[in-house]
Amino acid sequence: MANVTFSSPAMNKDVTVYATAGDCHTLLAVAQKNKLPIHFECENGECGSCAVEVGILSNRQPMGMHLTEKEKVALKLAGKISREQIEQAELSDIPPPWRLACQYIVRDEDILVKF
């Protein structure tokens, strides 16, 4: 199980939900299931409107979750990640802080999602 804490000025307080790791649900699907107001448009990774900042809430090394090609393009065009961060993600499994909620699969780690 993973604890996913959502934080946004659009909410009265932070909300922590449990997500089953490995069930292949995206972060956006977890938010929708729990009626949390992450903005989105296409749900396909092309528009970039569901960009969120993801932080790790443990002392463990973050699990390297590969960026999809759609994420690389959308986040780079939006100025959320750099070419260097993409290279770090690919070569060293160091995840960038910004991800697309519709592409990010929840893993077995506690995370903080800011939007």
Side-chain angles (χ1 to χ4, degrees):
M1 295 289 274
N3 291 316
V4 181
T5 301
F6 292 90
S7 180
S8 171
M11 302 183 328
N12 292 331
K13 61 180 183 172
D14 292 355
V15 175
T16 300
V17 300
Y18 300 102
T20 304
D23 67 3
C24 296
H25 285 121
T26 64
L27 193 53
L28 182 58
V30 171
Q32 289 175 323
K33 178 181 176 186
N34 291 282
K35 297 178 177 36
L36 298 168
I38 290 182
H39 178 74
F40 67 94
E41 290 177 20
C42 73
E43 293 184 75
N44 191 9
E46 295 178 5
C47 71
S49 66
C50 65
V52 295
E53 189 173 7
V54 178
I56 306 302
L57 293 176
S58 70
N59 294 331
R60 299 184 320 182
Q61 173 72 21
M63 293 182 173
M65 170 83 178
H66 294 288
L67 291 161
T68 66
E69 291 303 316
K70 291 178 181 181
E71 277 185 296
K72 292 175 190 175
V73 171
L75 292 171
K76 191 162 185 297
L77 287 174
K80 300 288 187 187
I81 61 174
S82 66
R83 183 177 330 147
E84 292 78 22
Q85 287 172 311
I86 292 171
E87 289 173 7
Q88 273 189 314
E90 292 174 342
L91 300 175
S92 304
D93 280 340
I94 298 171
W98 287 91
R99 301 300 299 265
L100 295 181
C102 70
Q103 300 292 296
Y104 185 92
I105 304 295
V106 178
R107 311 264 324 244
D108 188 18
E109 61 187 345
D110 296 342
I111 58 174
L112 172 63
V113 179
K114 295 180 182 179
F115 61 97

